[in-house]
Amino acid sequence: MKRTSKKLFFCLMALGLLITPSLSAQTNNPYPKGFRVGFGINTGLPTNATYDAALGLDARLQYDLTQKTSITATTGYTHLFDSDGDLGLVPAKLGFKSFLNKNIYLQGELGAGFGTHSEMGNTLIWSPAVGYANKYIDVNIHYERYNDYQTDQFGIRIAYGFSLKKLNKKK
């Protein structure tokens, strides 16, 4: 079952990457490519009984390829709480974001989680999401799987972001 979901995730990511160039070739108005940065807080509920809750902070760098597609790089800190022993990790993820309309998007991220204690080791992380973003606010609902830690979570991310693009003003 796990292999099937991984294959489906990777197929959807590949399909998005293949469709993107053809969509951007159909636009007549050039979209100013550039970076955005965002800082967020995320919280979640693990789906198994091992952990009670998750809380984290993150920073995301986003590069807009077109008006509807972006690539992302995310890192931060996530803490999974449990009365028997907590788990802390630093995620490092790369992702692809595709807007369905002006504000609603689908996103997929893949990366690694680095345990904050030597006995924890590292883990593969994959995370699909659906979200809403405007000029400054980004909110998403996501699923996040930590393969080697044998746990996952459903979560919400709320972030403040802004553009780093230089605006060309016509004189």
Side-chain angles (χ1 to χ4, degrees), residues 67-68 98-105 132:
Q67 193 167 3
K68 294 194 176 267
S98 179
F99 283 85
L100 303 175
N101 64 26
K102 184 178 179 185
N103 300 105
I104 305 297
Y105 66 85
Y132 170 87

mmCIF file of all heavy atoms in Angstrom, residues 67-68 98-105 132:
data_model
loop_
_atom_site.group_PDB
_atom_site.id
_atom_site.type_symbol
_atom_site.label_atom_id
_atom_site.label_comp_id
_atom_site.label_asym_id
_atom_site.label_seq_id
_atom_site.Cartn_x
_atom_site.Cartn_y
_atom_site.Cartn_z
ATOM 1 N N GLN A 67 2.597 32.428 -13.817
ATOM 2 C CA GLN A 67 1.560 32.942 -12.919
ATOM 3 C C GLN A 67 0.880 31.803 -12.157
ATOM 4 O O GLN A 67 0.348 32.019 -11.086
ATOM 5 C CB GLN A 67 0.530 33.730 -13.725
ATOM 6 C CG GLN A 67 -0.388 34.557 -12.880
ATOM 7 C CD GLN A 67 -1.180 35.545 -13.708
ATOM 8 O OE1 GLN A 67 -1.085 35.576 -14.920
ATOM 9 N NE2 GLN A 67 -1.969 36.356 -13.045
ATOM 10 N N LYS A 68 0.917 30.594 -12.702
ATOM 11 C CA LYS A 68 0.225 29.471 -12.075
ATOM 12 C C LYS A 68 1.132 28.376 -11.535
ATOM 13 O O LYS A 68 0.648 27.418 -10.957
ATOM 14 C CB LYS A 68 -0.756 28.855 -13.068
ATOM 15 C CG LYS A 68 -1.899 29.791 -13.425
ATOM 16 C CD LYS A 68 -3.000 29.043 -14.127
ATOM 17 C CE LYS A 68 -4.169 29.943 -14.389
ATOM 18 N NZ LYS A 68 -5.163 29.886 -13.348
ATOM 19 N N SER A 98 1.083 24.389 -7.918
ATOM 20 C CA SER A 98 0.317 24.689 -9.127
ATOM 21 C C SER A 98 -1.021 25.316 -8.735
ATOM 22 O O SER A 98 -1.812 24.706 -8.011
ATOM 23 C CB SER A 98 0.077 23.405 -9.924
ATOM 24 O OG SER A 98 -0.671 23.678 -11.074
ATOM 25 N N PHE A 99 -1.258 26.530 -9.222
ATOM 26 C CA PHE A 99 -2.492 27.241 -8.903
ATOM 27 C C PHE A 99 -3.612 26.800 -9.837
ATOM 28 O O PHE A 99 -3.439 26.765 -11.059
ATOM 29 C CB PHE A 99 -2.281 28.755 -8.999
ATOM 30 C CG PHE A 99 -1.564 29.314 -7.815
ATOM 31 C CD1 PHE A 99 -0.172 29.298 -7.755
ATOM 32 C CD2 PHE A 99 -2.273 29.828 -6.745
ATOM 33 C CE1 PHE A 99 0.492 29.796 -6.650
ATOM 34 C CE2 PHE A 99 -1.612 30.334 -5.634
ATOM 35 C CZ PHE A 99 -0.224 30.320 -5.578
ATOM 36 N N LEU A 100 -4.761 26.476 -9.256
ATOM 37 C CA LEU A 100 -5.934 26.084 -10.023
ATOM 38 C C LEU A 100 -6.695 27.307 -10.512
ATOM 39 O O LEU A 100 -7.351 27.263 -11.551
ATOM 40 C CB LEU A 100 -6.850 25.196 -9.182
ATOM 41 C CG LEU A 100 -6.185 23.933 -8.621
ATOM 42 C CD1 LEU A 100 -7.150 23.199 -7.705
ATOM 43 C CD2 LEU A 100 -5.696 23.040 -9.741
ATOM 44 N N ASN A 101 -6.642 28.367 -9.738
ATOM 45 C CA ASN A 101 -7.185 29.673 -10.126
ATOM 46 C C ASN A 101 -6.304 30.734 -9.473
ATOM 47 O O ASN A 101 -5.173 30.436 -9.114
ATOM 48 C CB ASN A 101 -8.678 29.796 -9.755
ATOM 49 C CG ASN A 101 -8.929 29.739 -8.264
ATOM 50 O OD1 ASN A 101 -8.070 30.063 -7.451
ATOM 51 N ND2 ASN A 101 -10.113 29.320 -7.877
ATOM 52 N N LYS A 102 -6.813 31.933 -9.312
ATOM 53 C CA LYS A 102 -5.970 33.020 -8.782
ATOM 54 C C LYS A 102 -5.419 32.718 -7.387
ATOM 55 O O LYS A 102 -4.292 33.100 -7.074
ATOM 56 C CB LYS A 102 -6.779 34.325 -8.766
ATOM 57 C CG LYS A 102 -5.970 35.511 -8.321
ATOM 58 C CD LYS A 102 -6.782 36.790 -8.357
ATOM 59 C CE LYS A 102 -5.936 37.955 -7.875
ATOM 60 N NZ LYS A 102 -6.704 39.177 -7.794
ATOM 61 N N ASN A 103 -6.187 32.036 -6.524
ATOM 62 C CA ASN A 103 -5.775 31.859 -5.140
ATOM 63 C C ASN A 103 -5.653 30.415 -4.652
ATOM 64 O O ASN A 103 -4.954 30.165 -3.681
ATOM 65 C CB ASN A 103 -6.753 32.595 -4.209
ATOM 66 C CG ASN A 103 -6.803 34.070 -4.485
ATOM 67 O OD1 ASN A 103 -7.757 34.566 -5.073
ATOM 68 N ND2 ASN A 103 -5.772 34.783 -4.095
ATOM 69 N N ILE A 104 -6.343 29.475 -5.252
ATOM 70 C CA ILE A 104 -6.358 28.083 -4.787
ATOM 71 C C ILE A 104 -5.240 27.294 -5.469
ATOM 72 O O ILE A 104 -5.071 27.386 -6.679
ATOM 73 C CB ILE A 104 -7.716 27.412 -5.081
ATOM 74 C CG1 ILE A 104 -8.869 28.228 -4.492
ATOM 75 C CG2 ILE A 104 -7.738 25.967 -4.569
ATOM 76 C CD1 ILE A 104 -8.872 28.362 -3.000
ATOM 77 N N TYR A 105 -4.485 26.517 -4.696
ATOM 78 C CA TYR A 105 -3.369 25.773 -5.265
ATOM 79 C C TYR A 105 -3.282 24.348 -4.728
ATOM 80 O O TYR A 105 -3.816 24.031 -3.670
ATOM 81 C CB TYR A 105 -2.040 26.493 -5.016
ATOM 82 C CG TYR A 105 -1.620 26.585 -3.568
ATOM 83 C CD1 TYR A 105 -0.921 25.546 -2.953
ATOM 84 C CD2 TYR A 105 -1.889 27.721 -2.809
ATOM 85 C CE1 TYR A 105 -0.521 25.632 -1.633
ATOM 86 C CE2 TYR A 105 -1.486 27.814 -1.496
ATOM 87 C CZ TYR A 105 -0.800 26.761 -0.913
ATOM 88 O OH TYR A 105 -0.413 26.851 0.392
ATOM 89 N N TYR A 132 -4.754 28.054 -0.005
ATOM 90 C CA TYR A 132 -5.234 29.359 -0.462
ATOM 91 C C TYR A 132 -4.117 30.362 -0.200
ATOM 92 O O TYR A 132 -3.557 30.414 0.901
ATOM 93 C CB TYR A 132 -6.482 29.779 0.325
ATOM 94 C CG TYR A 132 -6.885 31.211 0.059
ATOM 95 C CD1 TYR A 132 -7.719 31.519 -0.999
ATOM 96 C CD2 TYR A 132 -6.407 32.253 0.855
ATOM 97 C CE1 TYR A 132 -8.076 32.844 -1.259
ATOM 98 C CE2 TYR A 132 -6.762 33.570 0.603
ATOM 99 C CZ TYR A 132 -7.592 33.857 -0.456
ATOM 100 O OH TYR A 132 -7.932 35.159 -0.719
#
